[in-house]
């Protein structure tokens, strides 16, 4: 973000309690927001769970409060995110109430992730304002609300429609793009959607999106669902404050940067499927051989535990290594923003998590989309059909030939070149939003003034 003087002077330091949801894609935006608000003069307490616990000494400017989530190892290992989220919301309330009882006089408001909806009731009970942070797109919100509607109409599971058909009023989303979870019970899922999007006493919504990216979606939300409270679209959150200390749950391997320095401009495809996606060993093999056969340099993140039934790196067979040699670099976790901003990186094979999508657009890097779950299919559809900055790999079993062709199309063919140009335009427009008087800067200033008014 452009260095400007801080937004106004906060006369009296007032404490804000920020409550991230304990997954990487939610922790990162909340900590950037926390840093920005601290720089704007507020004192910050981060209330975090035991599960995926943060490391306080990495963030000396903040105070930390641990919430007793009482999650069992079995539940965490089940990959049933919806059940984990219900348990977190049920179990963390008591710890937050206890902390509020002693600090309430200093607290200006509680700012919580949309999935930590228990905070709204706690704030209201102590007579303190609360603000919700939405870490997924406006389109994802609308598509989730469509799921609730389908559930209310008794149309789930989807048996009577072709998955290729567009969902009425949700152009360009098809039924197959809806963020339905294969693991979770549909009624539980509809309930969690309602819990996260029903705003009863919250005072405002802070949204990691930009009006120019989703103009009609945001307008629709404002008119239909937002209960007339203000929305502050402040994306991309990762650019609103410097990352002085990493919020990564895994250790970043920065050796890949020295490998990148040796590669020609725009030649490398960066491959990362985020912090949650799980693949089969077969899929990993197809990815590996597709990458090998594409003849493009690649930087590939293979997260520990991301391959079912293996340690992830077992696939690095002698034959594969011999074919790839120095053309490939594999790490367990990368400093993603530095990687995407590196001149050598010309494409991003992504699972299309919302943070990764915004991070890629912010650096002008076109994408090869292979979504897995949740809102990722919605993002993939917008990347390929609305913003036209990426290609979607087909949603069936991955084949190495398809991977090879997709990579070549993105990295060396005319279609990819055009997408890179379009992506660079997005980068410029995003930079404009972050300049003084840009839409995100104005929203941030309004947000600080709003909190100051409490
Ligand atoms: N990330 C990273 N290093 C990696 C892979 C991912 O730092 O090797 C970060 C990435 O920059 C993003 C977050 O992890 O901020 C992943 O969030 P996203 O919403 O893209 O996906 P999720 O992990 O929630 O599926």
């Amino acid at each position: 973000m452009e260095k400007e003087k801080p937004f106004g002077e906060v006369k009296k330091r007032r404490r804000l309690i920020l409550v991230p949801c304990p997954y990487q894609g939610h922790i990162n935006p909340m900590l950037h927001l926390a840093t920005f608000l601290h720089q704007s003069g507020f004192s910050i307490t981060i209330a975090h769970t035991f599960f995926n616990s943060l490391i306080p000494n990495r963030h000396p400017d903040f105070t930390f409060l641990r919430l007793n989530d009482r999650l069992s190892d079995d539940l965490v290992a089940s990959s049933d995110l919806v059940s984990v989220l219900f348990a977190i919301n049920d179990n963390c309330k008591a710890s937050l109430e206890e902390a509020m009882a002693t600090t309430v006089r200093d607290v200006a408001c509680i700012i919580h992730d949309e999935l930590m909806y228990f905070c709204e009731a706690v704030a209201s009970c102590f007579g303190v304002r609360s603000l919700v942070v939405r870490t997924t797109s406006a389109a994802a919100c609308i598509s989730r609300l469509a799921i609730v509607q389908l559930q209310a109409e008794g149309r789930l599971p989807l048996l009577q429609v072709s998955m290729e058909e567009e969902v009425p009023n949700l152009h360009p989303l098809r039924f197959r793009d809806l963020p339905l979870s294969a693991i979770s019970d549909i009624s539980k899922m509809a309930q969690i959607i309602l819990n996260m999007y029903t705003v009863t006493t919250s005072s405002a919504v802070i949204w990691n999106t930009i009006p120019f990216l989703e103009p009609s979606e945001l307008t629709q939300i404002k008119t239909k669902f937002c209960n007339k409270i203000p929305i502050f679209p402040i994306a991309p959150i990762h650019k609103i404050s410097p990352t002085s200390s990493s919020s990564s749950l895994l250790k970043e391997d920065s050796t890949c940067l020295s490998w990148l320095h040796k590669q020609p401009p725009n030649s490398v495809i960066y491959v990362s499927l985020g912090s949650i996606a799980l693949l089969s060993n077969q899929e990993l093999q197809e990815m590996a051989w597709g990458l090998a056969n594409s003849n493009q340099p690649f930087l590939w993140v293979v997260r520990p535990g991301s391959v079912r039934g293996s340690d992830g790196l077992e696939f690095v067979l002698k034959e594969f290594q011999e074919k790839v040699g120095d053309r490939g670099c594999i790490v367990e976790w990368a400093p993603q923003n530095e990687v995407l901003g590196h001149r050598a990186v010309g494409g991003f094979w992504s699972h299309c998590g919302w943070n990764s999508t915004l991070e890629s657009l912010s650096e002008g890097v076109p994408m090869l989309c292979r979504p897995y779950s949740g809102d990722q299919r919605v993002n993939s559809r917008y990347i390929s059909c609305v913003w036209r900055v990426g290609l979607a790999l087909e949603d069936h079993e991955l084949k190495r030939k398809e991977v090879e062709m997709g990579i070549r199309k993105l990295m060396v063919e005319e279609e990819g070149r055009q997408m890179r140009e379009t992506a660079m335009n997005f980068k410029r427009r995003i930079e404009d939003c972050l300049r003084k008087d840009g839409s995100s800067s104005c929203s941030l200033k309004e947000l600080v003034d709003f909190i100051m008014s409490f």
Side-chain angles (χ1 to χ4, degrees):
M1 167 147 198
E2 213 178 50
K3 197 81 191 139
E4 293 290 338
K5 58 177 184 307
F7 295 123
E9 278 298 304
V10 179
K11 289 187 197 74
K12 187 169 146 236
R13 272 199 168 245
R14 297 205 62 194
R15 185 158 296 282
L16 310 179
I17 299 188
L18 272 67
V19 191
C21 174
Y23 290 97
Q24 191 71 72
H26 297 255
I27 292 168
N28 291 358
M30 193 63 94
L31 286 188
H32 278 288
L33 180 63
T35 305
F36 168 80
L37 290 169
H38 182 262
Q39 286 172 341
S40 303
F42 295 101
S43 304
I44 302 292
T45 296
I46 306 281
H48 65 126
T49 53
F50 280 65
F51 167 59
N52 280 344
S53 181
L54 300 176
I55 302 169
N57 61 16
R58 283 195 194 165
H59 312 275
D61 291 335
F62 307 153
T63 304
F64 284 80
L65 163 70
R66 288 242 263 177
L67 302 173
N68 190 357
D69 54 56
R70 291 186 281 122
L71 294 184
S72 68
D73 293 345
D74 285 351
L75 181 56
V76 170
S78 72
S79 307
D80 181 351
L81 288 186
V82 172
S83 296
V84 171
L85 291 168
F86 269 118
I88 288 176
N89 277 280
D90 286 345
N91 299 345
C92 290
K93 209 166 163 213
S95 317
L96 187 60
E97 281 171 346
E98 219 173 279
M100 284 297 287
T102 54
T103 57
V104 67
R105 275 190 307 145
D106 301 330
V107 175
C109 66
I110 298 180
I111 300 179
H112 65 92
D113 189 285
E114 59 190 3
L115 287 168
M116 305 295 271
Y117 49 80
F118 73 95
C119 298
E120 190 179 342
V122 175
S124 159
C125 164
F126 282 87
V128 164
R129 306 276 202 120
S130 63
L131 279 73
V132 191
V133 179
R134 303 224 182 277
T135 56
T136 51
S137 68
C141 166
I142 292 173
S143 64
R144 287 189 178 123
L145 291 167
I147 290 176
V148 175
Q149 178 75 27
L150 288 166
Q151 165 76 354
E153 291 166 3
R155 295 174 63 197
L156 295 180
L158 289 167
L159 300 172
Q160 308 294 331
V161 290
S162 148
M163 296 306 269
E164 301 309 314
E165 231 177 83
E166 269 197 13
V167 185
N169 306 318
L170 286 195
H171 176 75
L173 299 179
R174 303 155 298 183
F175 280 98
R176 67 144 80 194
D177 301 315
L178 289 178
L180 284 158
S181 160
I183 297 171
S184 299
D185 174 291
I186 285 174
S187 60
K188 272 170 91 175
M189 193 169 164
Q191 188 55 52
I192 212 144
I193 294 171
L194 278 177
N195 294 352
M196 72 197 267
Y197 290 120
T198 308
V199 173
T200 49
T201 53
S202 287
S203 302
V205 175
I206 303 168
W207 213 310
N208 193 16
T209 189
I210 315 180
F212 91 79
L213 283 178
E214 316 188 86
S216 61
E217 292 77 1
L218 274 171
T219 306
Q220 210 187 122
I221 286 167
K222 274 183 197 156
T223 49
K224 279 199 205 154
F225 308 114
C226 233
N227 220 2
K228 306 275 182 285
I229 61 171
I231 296 182
F232 299 101
I234 60 165
I237 286 188
H238 71 283
K239 293 272 188 186
I240 68 172
S241 68
T243 32
S244 47
S245 38
S246 169
S247 53
S248 268
L249 295 167
L250 295 171
K251 192 170 173 342
E252 287 173 353
D253 183 345
S254 295
T255 56
C256 58
L257 296 173
S258 31
W259 177 85
L260 276 180
H261 296 335
K262 293 185 215 133
Q263 311 304 320
N266 286 334
S267 65
V268 174
I269 178 145
Y270 168 59
V271 187
S272 165
L273 307 176
S275 62
I276 298 174
L278 289 177
L279 343 175
S280 66
N281 196 43
Q282 180 58 32
E283 182 158 2
L284 194 84
Q285 296 292 336
E286 298 302 313
M287 284 179 84
W289 286 105
L291 283 164
N293 297 339
S294 74
N295 285 325
Q296 285 299 122
F298 62 86
L299 167 56
W300 186 6
V301 177
V302 183
R303 201 184 74 242
S306 63
V307 185
R308 287 191 195 91
S310 103
D311 74 1
L313 288 174
E314 283 162 14
F315 74 93
V316 186
L317 304 169
K318 205 161 159 265
E319 202 188 336
F320 174 80
Q321 271 178 335
E322 275 169 11
K323 174 148 178 104
V324 168
D326 284 345
R327 185 164 55 78
C329 175
I330 299 175
V331 293
E332 295 195 336
W333 194 250
Q336 180 159 304
N337 284 309
E338 278 176 84
V339 167
L340 287 170
H342 197 286
R343 58 166 184 78
V345 172
F348 180 12
W349 174 351
S350 174
H351 70 309
C352 307
W354 185 236
N355 293 287
S356 294
T357 302
L358 288 175
E359 289 161 6
S360 204
L361 287 174
S362 302
E363 301 302 339
V365 178
M367 283 167 267
L368 189 60
C369 306
R370 174 76 176 167
Y372 286 81
S373 59
D375 61 326
Q376 296 158 14
R377 288 197 178 81
V378 174
N379 302 336
S380 164
R381 192 74 175 152
Y382 272 69
I383 291 165
S384 54
C385 296
V386 179
W387 304 318
R388 300 190 182 281
V389 290
L391 298 166
L393 283 169
E394 283 305 318
D395 195 9
H396 52 61
E397 220 174 85
L398 200 62
K399 292 275 176 276
R400 61 192 67 186
K401 193 73 203 160
E402 212 180 326
V403 171
E404 179 191 334
M405 281 163 49
I407 293 173
R408 295 199 61 75
K409 215 185 250 183
L410 186 74
M411 301 301 293
V412 291
E413 292 176 13
E414 176 57 20
E415 203 173 335
R417 196 195 58 74
Q418 281 178 13
M419 284 175 189
R420 193 159 300 109
E421 219 173 278
T422 312
M424 283 309 289
N425 263 328
F426 274 90
K427 175 182 160 84
R428 284 188 279 271
R429 292 187 71 183
I430 290 173
E431 283 166 354
D432 287 345
C433 292
L434 292 166
R435 281 187 228 290
K436 190 175 183 267
D437 301 331
S439 72
S440 300
S441 284
C442 290
S443 267
L444 284 164
K445 183 177 178 339
E446 286 163 16
L447 172 64
V448 170
D449 291 346
F450 185 69
I451 299 174
M452 289 291 296
S453 72
F454 297 165

